PDB file of all heavy atoms in Angstrom:
ATOM      1  N   THR A 209      26.435   8.533   3.525  1.00 80.00           N
ATOM      2  CA  THR A 209      26.461   9.016   2.150  1.00 80.00           C
ATOM      3  C   THR A 209      27.885   8.969   1.637  1.00 80.00           C
ATOM      4  O   THR A 209      28.844   9.107   2.392  1.00 80.00           O
ATOM      5  CB  THR A 209      25.931  10.459   2.038  1.00 80.00           C
ATOM      6  OG1 THR A 209      26.721  11.310   2.875  1.00 80.00           O
ATOM      7  CG2 THR A 209      24.472  10.539   2.473  1.00 80.00           C
ATOM      8  N   GLY A 210      28.020   8.743   0.350  1.00 78.00           N
ATOM      9  CA  GLY A 210      29.333   8.709  -0.284  1.00 78.00           C
ATOM     10  C   GLY A 210      29.276   9.429  -1.614  1.00 78.00           C
ATOM     11  O   GLY A 210      28.221   9.878  -2.053  1.00 78.00           O
ATOM     12  N   ARG A 211      30.407   9.534  -2.268  1.00 81.00           N
ATOM     13  CA  ARG A 211      30.458  10.249  -3.553  1.00 81.00           C
ATOM     14  C   ARG A 211      31.303   9.443  -4.534  1.00 81.00           C
ATOM     15  O   ARG A 211      32.401   8.980  -4.202  1.00 81.00           O
ATOM     16  CB  ARG A 211      31.072  11.637  -3.363  1.00 81.00           C
ATOM     17  CG  ARG A 211      31.175  12.449  -4.653  1.00 81.00           C
ATOM     18  CD  ARG A 211      31.780  13.808  -4.379  1.00 81.00           C
ATOM     19  NE  ARG A 211      30.914  14.611  -3.529  1.00 81.00           N
ATOM     20  CZ  ARG A 211      29.907  15.348  -3.997  1.00 81.00           C
ATOM     21  NH1 ARG A 211      29.628  15.377  -5.281  1.00 81.00           N
ATOM     22  NH2 ARG A 211      29.174  16.058  -3.168  1.00 81.00           N
ATOM     23  N   VAL A 212      30.763   9.265  -5.729  1.00 81.00           N
ATOM     24  CA  VAL A 212      31.517   8.662  -6.833  1.00 81.00           C
ATOM     25  C   VAL A 212      31.330   9.548  -8.049  1.00 81.00           C
ATOM     26  O   VAL A 212      30.334  10.274  -8.166  1.00 81.00           O
ATOM     27  CB  VAL A 212      31.027   7.224  -7.152  1.00 81.00           C
ATOM     28  CG1 VAL A 212      31.285   6.290  -5.980  1.00 81.00           C
ATOM     29  CG2 VAL A 212      29.565   7.201  -7.526  1.00 81.00           C
ATOM     30  N   ASP A 213      32.285   9.498  -8.961  1.00 81.00           N
ATOM     31  CA  ASP A 213      32.199  10.322 -10.170  1.00 81.00           C
ATOM     32  C   ASP A 213      31.021   9.873 -11.028  1.00 81.00           C
ATOM     33  O   ASP A 213      30.805   8.673 -11.238  1.00 81.00           O
ATOM     34  CB  ASP A 213      33.493  10.195 -10.982  1.00 81.00           C
ATOM     35  CG  ASP A 213      34.678  10.844 -10.273  1.00 81.00           C
ATOM     36  OD1 ASP A 213      34.442  11.725  -9.424  1.00 81.00           O
ATOM     37  OD2 ASP A 213      35.828  10.453 -10.565  1.00 81.00           O
ATOM     38  N   ASP A 214      30.260  10.842 -11.514  1.00 80.00           N
ATOM     39  CA  ASP A 214      29.169  10.593 -12.457  1.00 80.00           C
ATOM     40  C   ASP A 214      28.234   9.488 -11.953  1.00 80.00           C
ATOM     41  O   ASP A 214      27.939   8.523 -12.653  1.00 80.00           O
ATOM     42  CB  ASP A 214      29.747  10.206 -13.825  1.00 80.00           C
ATOM     43  CG  ASP A 214      28.705  10.278 -14.938  1.00 80.00           C
ATOM     44  OD1 ASP A 214      27.657  10.914 -14.713  1.00 80.00           O
ATOM     45  OD2 ASP A 214      28.937   9.682 -15.991  1.00 80.00           O
ATOM     46  N   ALA A 215      27.727   9.665 -10.741  1.00 77.00           N
ATOM     47  CA  ALA A 215      26.893   8.624 -10.126  1.00 77.00           C
ATOM     48  C   ALA A 215      25.564   8.436 -10.847  1.00 77.00           C
ATOM     49  O   ALA A 215      24.918   7.399 -10.676  1.00 77.00           O
ATOM     50  CB  ALA A 215      26.636   8.977  -8.661  1.00 77.00           C
ATOM     51  N   ARG A 216      25.165   9.412 -11.672  1.00 77.00           N
ATOM     52  CA  ARG A 216      23.894   9.294 -12.385  1.00 77.00           C
ATOM     53  C   ARG A 216      24.077   8.844 -13.831  1.00 77.00           C
ATOM     54  O   ARG A 216      23.191   9.005 -14.665  1.00 77.00           O
ATOM     55  CB  ARG A 216      23.145  10.635 -12.328  1.00 77.00           C
ATOM     56  CG  ARG A 216      22.779  11.043 -10.909  1.00 77.00           C
ATOM     57  CD  ARG A 216      22.200  12.434 -10.853  1.00 77.00           C
ATOM     58  NE  ARG A 216      22.081  12.872  -9.456  1.00 77.00           N
ATOM     59  CZ  ARG A 216      21.839  14.112  -9.083  1.00 77.00           C
ATOM     60  NH1 ARG A 216      21.678  15.055  -9.995  1.00 77.00           N
ATOM     61  NH2 ARG A 216      21.747  14.436  -7.804  1.00 77.00           N
ATOM     62  N   ARG A 217      25.230   8.272 -14.127  1.00 81.00           N
ATOM     63  CA  ARG A 217      25.497   7.827 -15.489  1.00 81.00           C
ATOM     64  C   ARG A 217      24.587   6.663 -15.881  1.00 81.00           C
ATOM     65  O   ARG A 217      24.055   5.962 -15.033  1.00 81.00           O
ATOM     66  CB  ARG A 217      26.958   7.411 -15.632  1.00 81.00           C
ATOM     67  CG  ARG A 217      27.392   6.266 -14.724  1.00 81.00           C
ATOM     68  CD  ARG A 217      28.894   6.034 -14.873  1.00 81.00           C
ATOM     69  NE  ARG A 217      29.439   5.015 -13.982  1.00 81.00           N
ATOM     70  CZ  ARG A 217      29.897   5.259 -12.767  1.00 81.00           C
ATOM     71  NH1 ARG A 217      29.815   6.483 -12.253  1.00 81.00           N
ATOM     72  NH2 ARG A 217      30.422   4.296 -12.033  1.00 81.00           N
ATOM     73  N   ASP A 218      24.440   6.481 -17.179  1.00 83.00           N
ATOM     74  CA  ASP A 218      23.646   5.367 -17.679  1.00 83.00           C
ATOM     75  C   ASP A 218      24.436   4.071 -17.529  1.00 83.00           C
ATOM     76  O   ASP A 218      25.550   3.945 -18.035  1.00 83.00           O
ATOM     77  CB  ASP A 218      23.294   5.585 -19.159  1.00 83.00           C
ATOM     78  CG  ASP A 218      22.303   6.716 -19.352  1.00 83.00           C
ATOM     79  OD1 ASP A 218      21.469   6.901 -18.445  1.00 83.00           O
ATOM     80  OD2 ASP A 218      22.362   7.405 -20.382  1.00 83.00           O
ATOM     81  N   VAL A 219      23.875   3.137 -16.819  1.00 87.00           N
ATOM     82  CA  VAL A 219      24.514   1.838 -16.619  1.00 87.00           C
ATOM     83  C   VAL A 219      23.400   0.825 -16.425  1.00 87.00           C
ATOM     84  O   VAL A 219      22.349   1.142 -15.867  1.00 87.00           O
ATOM     85  CB  VAL A 219      25.465   1.876 -15.401  1.00 87.00           C
ATOM     86  CG1 VAL A 219      24.715   2.216 -14.124  1.00 87.00           C
ATOM     87  CG2 VAL A 219      26.219   0.570 -15.246  1.00 87.00           C
ATOM     88  N   ASP A 220      23.613  -0.382 -16.926  1.00 87.00           N
ATOM     89  CA  ASP A 220      22.596  -1.413 -16.741  1.00 87.00           C
ATOM     90  C   ASP A 220      23.248  -2.699 -16.244  1.00 87.00           C
ATOM     91  O   ASP A 220      24.483  -2.823 -16.202  1.00 87.00           O
ATOM     92  CB  ASP A 220      21.802  -1.664 -18.021  1.00 87.00           C
ATOM     93  CG  ASP A 220      22.680  -2.040 -19.213  1.00 87.00           C
ATOM     94  OD1 ASP A 220      23.704  -2.735 -19.002  1.00 87.00           O
ATOM     95  OD2 ASP A 220      22.353  -1.649 -20.343  1.00 87.00           O
ATOM     96  N   VAL A 221      22.418  -3.648 -15.850  1.00 89.00           N
ATOM     97  CA  VAL A 221      22.922  -4.888 -15.257  1.00 89.00           C
ATOM     98  C   VAL A 221      23.810  -5.635 -16.239  1.00 89.00           C
ATOM     99  O   VAL A 221      24.853  -6.197 -15.860  1.00 89.00           O
ATOM    100  CB  VAL A 221      21.738  -5.765 -14.803  1.00 89.00           C
ATOM    101  CG1 VAL A 221      22.220  -7.166 -14.414  1.00 89.00           C
ATOM    102  CG2 VAL A 221      21.007  -5.119 -13.630  1.00 89.00           C
ATOM    103  N   ALA A 222      23.453  -5.654 -17.522  1.00 88.00           N
ATOM    104  CA  ALA A 222      24.206  -6.422 -18.514  1.00 88.00           C
ATOM    105  C   ALA A 222      25.603  -5.868 -18.740  1.00 88.00           C
ATOM    106  O   ALA A 222      26.552  -6.635 -18.971  1.00 88.00           O
ATOM    107  CB  ALA A 222      23.439  -6.449 -19.836  1.00 88.00           C
ATOM    108  N   SER A 223      25.754  -4.541 -18.681  1.00 87.00           N
ATOM    109  CA  SER A 223      27.051  -3.930 -19.002  1.00 87.00           C
ATOM    110  C   SER A 223      27.883  -3.602 -17.775  1.00 87.00           C
ATOM    111  O   SER A 223      29.052  -3.227 -17.907  1.00 87.00           O
ATOM    112  CB  SER A 223      26.830  -2.665 -19.822  1.00 87.00           C
ATOM    113  OG  SER A 223      26.137  -1.689 -19.044  1.00 87.00           O
ATOM    114  N   ALA A 224      27.327  -3.709 -16.576  1.00 90.00           N
ATOM    115  CA  ALA A 224      28.051  -3.324 -15.362  1.00 90.00           C
ATOM    116  C   ALA A 224      29.243  -4.241 -15.132  1.00 90.00           C
ATOM    117  O   ALA A 224      29.093  -5.465 -15.119  1.00 90.00           O
ATOM    118  CB  ALA A 224      27.113  -3.378 -14.166  1.00 90.00           C
TER     119      ALA A 224
END
Side-chain angles (χ1 to χ4, degrees):
T209 58
R211 180 180 295 275
V212 296
D213 291 337
D214 195 17
R216 297 173 190 167
R217 60 185 176 271
D218 290 328
V219 60
D220 56 35
V221 170
S223 65

